[in-house]
Amino acid sequence: MRIDSFQLLCNLGVIVLSLLLGTLLVAGLVEWVGGNAGVALLALGQGMVGSRQAIVEIIIEATPLALCALAFLVPFKAGFFNIGAQGHLQLGALTAVFLATTLTLPAIVLIPLALLASALAGAVLIVPAYLLKTRRGASEVVTTVMLDFVALEFTYAMITGPLQAPGTFFAESDLIPEAYRLPVFGVHVGVHLAIVLIVLISWVLRRTVFGFRLEALGGNPKAAEALGMHTGPTLMKAVLLAGAIGGIAGGIQAMGVIFQVAEGWAKDWGFLGILVALMGRTPIGAIFAALLLAGLEIGGRHMQALTGLPASLVFLLQSVPVLILLVLSSTRSFRKYTTPGAGR
C-alpha cells in the first residue's frame, strides 16, 4: 500500500494526537496520586526539548529504534514478519567491536569496514529463518525470535571468552580505541548514516520496481507469481536487507555510543522497533515515531528525577500514548485516510 504525502500527514497527526491525549491522561493520574501535574509536565517538556543536550540524546536514542523499525518494515512489505532485529543488532555490534579492537588500519578504512561487516553479520543471521520459511514452511515469527536468543547467547559466550577484556571479571569486551569511534558532527556520524539509509530505503520502496514487487508479493503472492514476478529472489533480497539494516544498527551503537559490548549493553531496541514500525507505517513515519518514543523516555527520566514521581508513571507515560494510537489506528476514519487514493 502506497502512502502519499497526505496520508503521511494523517499518520503524523494521529501520532501527535495520541501524545497529547496520553499526556493529559497521565497528568490526571499524577494529580490523583498527589503530585502536581503542571510541574510534572513542565519537567517532561524540559527533559524533551529544554536543552540542546536533551535533543541530542533523543536523536541518538531514536536512531537504533528507527533502524530496527526499518528492519521490520522492509520484509513486512513482502509478508515476512521479522522479529529478529534484536539479534541482528547484537551480532552486528559484536562484529564491529571485534574488528575495531583487533585490526590496526587507518580509521578511514576500518570504520566503513566494521560497519559493512556488522551489516553482513546481521544478514547472515537471518538466513536460517529465510531457508526454513521457504523450504520447510516454518513460521518466521518463531525462527527469528529463536535466532535472537542464539545471537544473545553467542555474544555472551564471546565476551566471557575470547573477546573478554583482559584483567576483568565482568562480561565485557575491550573498549574501541578512540581513533576508531564514529566522528561527531553535532551528533555522531552514525545518525547521519541512518537518516540517509532510511530516506534511501523509503525511495526504493515507493519508486522502484523492487518496491512494487515487494508490495505485490505481500498483497497476493499467487497473483504475483501468475504475473511472472520472481517472488523467491524478491523475498530473499528483502530479508537479507532487513538483516543487514539490523546489523548496521548494532554497529552504529557500538562504534558511536557504547564503544564496547558488555552483558546487558543493549536496550530492547529490536522489539521496540516493531512498535515504531507499526506506529510510523512507513520508513519516514518511523523516524517520527522513534523520536516520540525516545523523547518520552528521555523526558520521563528527567520528570522522575525532578519530581520524585513513581517510575510506574514514567512507564505509563511511554505506553499510554502508544495504546491510544493503536486504538485510533483501528478506527474506520483512520483507515479511510491512510488507504491509497485517500485525500486526493
Side-chain angles (χ1 to χ4, degrees):
M1 179 173 61
R2 293 188 181 277
I3 305 296
D4 58 18
S5 299
F6 175 78
Q7 295 157 2
L8 177 60
L9 288 175
C10 289
N11 281 307
L12 296 180
V14 173
I15 290 176
V16 172
L17 178 61
S18 303
L19 175 61
L20 293 176
L21 293 176
T23 302
L24 289 175
L25 180 58
V26 173
L29 292 174
V30 169
E31 290 287 348
W32 186 55
V33 299
N36 188 313
V39 173
L41 292 179
L42 180 61
L44 173 66
Q46 290 176 341
M48 293 179 68
V49 295
S51 66
R52 181 181 180 277
Q53 181 60 33
I55 295 173
V56 168
E57 288 182 11
I58 290 172
I59 293 173
I60 291 174
E61 181 66 23
T63 299
L65 288 175
L67 287 175
C68 288
L70 197 62
F72 176 84
L73 276 173
V74 172
F76 180 70
K77 286 280 187 180
F80 187 99
F81 291 80
N82 176 29
I83 317 295
Q86 189 73 16
H88 311 327
L89 184 143
Q90 287 276 1
L91 205 57
L94 182 69
T95 303
V97 168
F98 169 71
L99 293 180
T101 55
T102 56
L103 298 182
T104 304
L105 294 170
I108 196 172
V109 175
L110 190 140
I111 291 175
L113 177 64
L115 292 177
L116 287 174
S118 66
L120 178 61
V124 168
L125 180 64
I126 204 172
V127 168
Y130 168 76
L131 294 177
L132 289 170
K133 168 75 173 180
T134 56
R135 298 189 179 183
R136 298 296 181 181
S139 169
E140 70 274 20
V141 174
V142 175
T143 55
T144 52
V145 168
M146 295 307 296
L147 287 171
D148 282 338
F149 290 100
V150 171
L152 178 63
E153 295 303 325
F154 178 76
T155 300
Y156 184 76
M158 291 297 100
I159 60 177
T160 54
L163 296 185
Q164 185 176 21
T168 180
F169 295 100
F170 301 103
E172 60 183 15
S173 69
D174 277 325
L175 285 170
I176 293 177
E178 290 189 13
Y180 297 149
R181 298 176 185 180
L182 295 181
V184 176
F185 300 100
V187 291
H188 63 75
V189 169
V191 174
H192 305 288
L193 176 61
I195 294 173
V196 171
L197 183 60
I198 291 170
V199 172
L200 178 61
I201 295 297
S202 177
W203 179 82
V204 168
L205 293 180
R206 291 167 57 88
R207 302 296 182 185
T208 67
V209 174
F210 175 69
F212 173 76
R213 288 175 176 171
L214 279 184
E215 290 190 4
L217 179 57
N220 192 325
K222 292 184 178 180
E225 290 179 359
L227 289 173
M229 293 184 183
H230 301 292
T231 56
T234 299
L235 179 61
M236 181 181 67
K237 291 175 184 177
V239 170
L240 292 177
L241 180 59
I245 293 170
I248 204 169
I252 287 174
Q253 285 301 106
M255 302 186 72
V257 181
I258 308 298
F259 308 126
Q260 67 173 168
V261 174
E263 183 179 5
W265 75 273
K267 299 180 184 178
D268 292 331
W269 292 306
F271 300 112
L272 289 174
I274 299 172
L275 180 59
V276 170
L278 296 176
M279 290 172 63
R281 298 166 64 88
T282 66
I284 302 300
I287 294 177
F288 295 97
L291 289 171
L292 170 62
L293 287 189
L296 289 175
E297 179 181 352
I298 301 298
R301 291 204 303 260
H302 187 265
M303 181 183 73
Q304 183 184 13
L306 290 185
T307 63
L309 289 170
S312 56
L313 283 178
V314 178
F315 297 140
L316 281 174
L317 183 63
Q318 294 177 270
S319 58
V320 169
V322 176
L323 179 61
I324 293 175
L325 175 65
L326 294 177
V327 172
L328 293 176
S329 299
S330 66
T331 63
R332 182 178 301 175
S333 296
F334 180 85
R335 292 195 298 269
K336 173 183 176 182
Y337 288 109
T338 54
T339 52
R344 294 177 181 172

